[in-house]
């Protein structure tokens, strides 16, 4: 799976995970870091309307 956001939805059981899904903490943290990097890049490019995502990211980190 290449999409980190999709991985996180499956990790948190928002979407059904495929058979053999790697739900290890190192994998989850790696995918979360990738997602955070994308958010940081969007912020650096001055993309607007990131408020909701920026507000929820700390809560996602806490859940991990």
């Amino acid at each position: 799976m290449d999409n980190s956001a999709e991985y996180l939805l499956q990790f948190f059981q928002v979407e059904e995970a495929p058979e053999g899904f790697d739900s290890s903490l190192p994998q989850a943290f790696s995918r979360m870091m990738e997602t955070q990097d994308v958010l940081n890049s969007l912020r650096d490019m001055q993309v607007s309307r990131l408020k909701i995502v920026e507000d929820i990211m700390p809560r996602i980190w806490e859940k991990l």
Side-chain angles (χ1 to χ4, degrees):
M1 173 185 315
D2 293 324
N3 186 322
S4 293
E6 183 179 353
Y7 172 88
L8 290 170
L9 289 172
Q10 294 171 354
F11 179 82
F12 289 113
Q13 301 175 348
V14 175
E15 291 183 359
E16 187 174 336
E19 190 172 322
F21 180 75
D22 181 2
S23 62
S24 67
L25 284 180
Q27 178 70 354
F29 271 93
S30 174
R31 294 306 188 110
M32 187 61 187
M33 287 295 300
E34 290 172 11
T35 304
Q36 185 71 56
D37 288 344
V38 169
L39 177 60
N40 293 342
S41 294
L42 291 171
R43 188 181 307 123
D44 290 345
M45 292 185 297
Q46 299 180 353
V47 173
S48 61
R49 299 184 181 179
L50 295 175
K51 179 80 172 120
I52 293 171
V53 177
E54 290 173 334
D55 289 348
I56 201 165
M57 288 300 279
R59 288 184 279 173
I60 296 172
W61 277 113
E62 283 180 24
K63 283 191 170 256
L64 282 176

